[in-house]
Amino acid sequence: MIALTLRVLAPFLVVGALVLLLRWTFSRGRHNVAQRTTRRGDPGEYGLLVPVAAPTDSAEALAQGARLDEAGIRYTVVDTKSGPRLMVWEDDADRARALLR
């Protein structure tokens, strides 16, 4: 009798547990485990990315980025402690610097 009851209730218990887990996972709120506050780093703290230019504002960063984009160089603009920097992969750094001169 007990085994039969467990066989019937087990799927409902598993589905109920999954529903609660998924609801917690996809809910919005402050209890997310991976939530972190962003911080600005020094220009040298970005792993394999190296700074190639220091634009004065976002318009200049977009203009310089467009030149890199045309040459097929992937880039990103990072707001560091020293101001905005155009960052590229280390392998593309020399070519990017030459283009931006």
Side-chain angles (χ1 to χ4, degrees):
M1 179 73 176
I2 294 175
L4 180 62
T5 305
L6 284 177
R7 280 190 195 162
V8 172
L9 289 180
F12 292 106
L13 293 174
V14 169
V15 169
L18 286 173
V19 166
L20 290 175
L21 180 65
L22 289 172
R23 190 173 169 154
W24 174 77
T25 301
F26 292 108
S27 67
R28 297 179 190 253
R30 294 188 174 267
H31 62 275
N32 290 338
V33 177
Q35 186 173 356
R36 295 188 315 180
T37 57
T38 58
R39 71 172 184 85
R40 292 180 181 171
D42 290 322
E45 291 183 0
Y46 290 90
L48 298 176
L49 296 175
V50 293
V52 293
T56 56
D57 59 3
S58 61
E60 184 180 352
L62 288 174
Q64 290 175 341
R67 289 171 49 196
L68 293 177
D69 214 14
E70 288 174 7
I73 299 174
R74 294 184 300 168
Y75 73 95
T76 187
V77 178
V78 178
D79 192 20
T80 67
K81 289 180 182 178
S82 304
R85 297 290 185 264
L86 223 61
M87 309 286 265
V88 299
W89 294 105
E90 195 171 357
D91 296 340
D92 295 330
D94 293 333
R95 203 172 89 191
R97 287 187 186 107
L99 279 170
L100 296 175
R101 284 188 189 141

